[in-house]
Amino acid sequence: MSDPTIASLQDELKKFARDRDWERYHTPRNLAALIASEAGELLALFRWGQDAVTERSDDVQDEIADIFLAVLRFADVARINLEEAGRKKLAVNNAKYPLSIRGKPE
Amino acid sequence: MSDPTIASLQDELKKFARDRDWERYHTPRNLAALIASEAGELLALFRWGQDAVTERSDDVQDEIADIFLAVLRFADVARINLEEAGRKKLAVNNAKYPLSIRGKPE
Amino acid sequence: MSDPTIASLQDELKKFARDRDWERYHTPRNLAALIASEAGELLALFRWGQDAVTERSDDVQDEIADIFLAVLRFADVARINLEEAGRKKLAVNNAKYPLSIRGKPE
Amino acid sequence: MSDPTIASLQDELKKFARDRDWERYHTPRNLAALIASEAGELLALFRWGQDAVTERSDDVQDEIADIFLAVLRFADVARINLEEAGRKKLAVNNAKYPLSIRGKPE
């Protein structure tokens, strides 16, 4: 079962799109482009090595929220359960990077 | 209060990093770069206009999961409550795009 | 007049696409997505703070070449003269960041 | 030998950085982040399927110029000859996608 908060935010995002007749723009491909461009905006806050979390905390919060919402909307449109997909990926990562091997992440 | 699922996934991600001594790599800046590069991988599945959700559903699920987990980890490290930040952004968007104005999203 | 090397590479890229009947995929929008996903691949080489230029020099060269070629192809398809656009932007940046102001770049 | 235009633009970019004491910020890693965030800005112009080349031609020209200059600067700092790297990649692609195989690009 999907998480109540995630599902509730997804419902609001769907309503937001429907109310504006924007559902036709919310294709998986357009939303993948949205995620990538929003990720570029978050990254821009850090690009010269700034401590943006401290110095521009409102902007950082805004940008991560944009990405988060775009991820939720993408998953809803593509009918992917994020919690399940996330847990599956965690299990894969646990197997891929066993505890006995320490070093830099890949 | 943070969502139980989001918080639980964040706890697992933190444990994963701690167990491998990778917390020092999980700076907000490194995680912003991770989000952007993972977003590029999702986008790559769609770049020539493919219907990737149908044709490569496992890859799409993998890539959105990677982005989702990276967003959760970023928020944890930067001490941002994603649910709050997301709801705040939804309110901003509702004000920014009133129902009376229809057209293309920006 | 366009640069001879840039123009020559653009001609080869056009021929490459034409020979494979791929010109219909090379829309500005698809090429913008290509640039963004290739940029994500370059960034991935640096995401944990590695000195990738030294440690993975062939990969770095490969990824920057991919981005460079995608930029050339985009400009050709969108009929933008890169040299002119680049010089114009340099002039804008010189005016925007006068020498008297020193500090971090934005 | 490097292309005269590319080399000349790279010299101007180096002078621009040196004059502002910004060379210390122009590490390969920071420039990879710059390329990715600029690529996100170009992509944003197209994210809902707009014909941005026609409708927002000045913005498109600005954004591709930003990426182009960032690519030139990265290559200079990382001591990569873009023309050589580009031609090498073209040869690789010609071998990878032989003419006898037609279909969608990967």
Side-chain angles (χ1 to χ4, degrees):
Chain A
M1 197 198 68
S2 182
D3 176 77
T5 298
I6 290 175
S8 141
L9 284 169
Q10 285 175 323
D11 285 347
E12 292 194 41
L13 288 164
K14 184 193 287 184
K15 184 171 157 26
F16 179 85
R18 188 173 288 165
D19 286 348
R20 283 155 189 80
D21 200 17
W22 286 354
E23 283 187 299
R24 62 198 148 131
Y25 297 116
H26 286 193
T27 62
R29 187 181 197 223
N30 286 358
L31 293 164
L34 178 66
I35 293 169
S37 58
E38 298 292 2
E41 291 184 24
L42 177 68
L43 184 64
L45 299 174
F46 294 92
R47 65 184 160 196
W48 304 117
Q50 301 93 327
D51 178 10
V53 172
T54 305
E55 294 167 19
R56 300 182 62 179
S57 61
D58 285 355
D59 291 334
V60 169
Q61 193 169 315
D62 263 15
E63 298 304 347
I64 194 71
D66 279 338
I67 305 170
F68 179 58
L69 294 179
V71 166
L72 295 189
R73 184 71 181 131
F74 178 93
D76 191 27
V77 167
R79 296 167 184 273
I80 291 168
N81 182 313
L82 277 177
E83 185 178 345
E84 269 180 36
R87 293 203 183 278
K88 194 173 150 191
K89 200 65 197 247
L90 267 172
V92 169
N93 287 343
N94 271 302
K96 193 171 165 188
Y97 303 103
L99 280 186
S100 50
I101 297 177
R102 280 166 168 245
K104 275 202 171 182
E106 261 172 32
Chain B
M1 199 199 68
S2 183
D3 176 77
T5 298
I6 290 175
S8 140
L9 283 169
Q10 285 175 324
D11 285 346
E12 293 194 43
L13 288 164
K14 185 194 287 186
K15 184 173 158 24
F16 180 85
R18 189 173 288 166
D19 286 349
R20 283 155 189 81
D21 200 16
W22 285 354
E23 283 186 299
R24 62 198 149 134
Y25 297 116
H26 285 194
T27 61
R29 187 182 196 220
N30 286 357
L31 293 164
L34 178 66
I35 293 170
S37 57
E38 297 292 1
E41 291 183 25
L42 178 68
L43 184 65
L45 299 174
F46 294 93
R47 65 184 160 196
W48 304 117
Q50 302 94 326
D51 178 11
V53 172
T54 305
E55 295 167 20
R56 301 183 62 181
S57 62
D58 285 355
D59 291 335
V60 170
Q61 193 168 316
D62 263 15
E63 298 304 347
I64 194 70
D66 279 338
I67 304 170
F68 179 58
L69 294 179
V71 166
L72 295 189
R73 184 72 182 132
F74 178 93
D76 191 27
V77 167
R79 297 168 183 273
I80 290 168
N81 183 311
L82 277 177
E83 186 179 345
E84 268 181 35
R87 294 204 182 278
K88 194 173 150 190
K89 200 66 196 245
L90 268 172
V92 169
N93 287 342
N94 271 302
K96 192 172 167 188
Y97 304 103
L99 279 185
S100 50
I101 297 178
R102 280 166 167 246
K104 275 201 172 182
E106 262 171 31
Chain C
M1 200 197 69
S2 182
D3 177 76
T5 298
I6 290 176
S8 141
L9 284 169
Q10 284 175 324
D11 285 346
E12 292 193 44
L13 288 164
K14 183 192 287 183
K15 183 172 160 26
F16 180 85
R18 188 173 288 165
D19 287 348
R20 283 154 189 80
D21 200 18
W22 285 354
E23 283 187 299
R24 62 199 149 134
Y25 297 116
H26 285 193
T27 62
R29 188 182 195 222
N30 286 358
L31 293 165
L34 178 66
I35 293 170
S37 59
E38 299 292 1
E41 292 183 25
L42 177 68
L43 185 64
L45 299 174
F46 293 92
R47 64 185 160 195
W48 304 118
Q50 303 93 327
D51 178 11
V53 173
T54 305
E55 293 167 20
R56 300 184 61 180
S57 61
D58 285 355
D59 291 335
V60 170
Q61 193 168 316
D62 262 15
E63 299 303 347
I64 194 71
D66 279 339
I67 305 170
F68 179 58
L69 294 178
V71 167
L72 295 189
R73 184 72 180 132
F74 178 94
D76 191 27
V77 168
R79 295 169 185 273
I80 290 168
N81 182 311
L82 277 177
E83 185 179 346
E84 267 180 36
R87 291 203 183 279
K88 194 173 149 191
K89 201 64 196 248
L90 267 172
V92 169
N93 287 343
N94 271 302
K96 192 172 167 189
Y97 304 103
L99 279 186
S100 51
I101 297 178
R102 280 167 169 245
K104 274 202 173 184
E106 263 173 31
Chain D
M1 198 198 69
S2 182
D3 176 76
T5 298
I6 291 176
S8 140
L9 283 168
Q10 285 175 324
D11 285 347
E12 292 194 42
L13 289 163
K14 184 193 287 184
K15 183 172 160 23
F16 179 85
R18 187 172 290 166
D19 286 348
R20 283 154 189 79
D21 200 17
W22 285 354
E23 282 187 300
R24 62 199 150 133
Y25 297 116
H26 286 194
T27 61
R29 188 182 195 221
N30 286 359
L31 293 164
L34 177 66
I35 293 169
S37 58
E38 298 291 1
E41 292 183 25
L42 178 68
L43 185 64
L45 299 174
F46 294 91
R47 64 186 161 194
W48 304 116
Q50 301 94 326
D51 179 11
V53 172
T54 305
E55 294 167 21
R56 300 182 64 179
S57 61
D58 285 356
D59 291 335
V60 170
Q61 193 168 317
D62 263 14
E63 298 303 347
I64 194 71
D66 279 338
I67 305 170
F68 179 57
L69 294 179
V71 166
L72 296 190
R73 184 71 181 133
F74 178 94
D76 191 27
V77 167
R79 296 171 184 272
I80 290 168
N81 182 313
L82 277 177
E83 184 178 345
E84 268 180 35
R87 293 203 182 278
K88 194 173 150 191
K89 201 64 196 247
L90 267 172
V92 169
N93 286 343
N94 271 302
K96 193 172 165 188
Y97 304 104
L99 280 186
S100 51
I101 298 177
R102 279 166 169 247
K104 274 202 174 183
E106 262 172 33

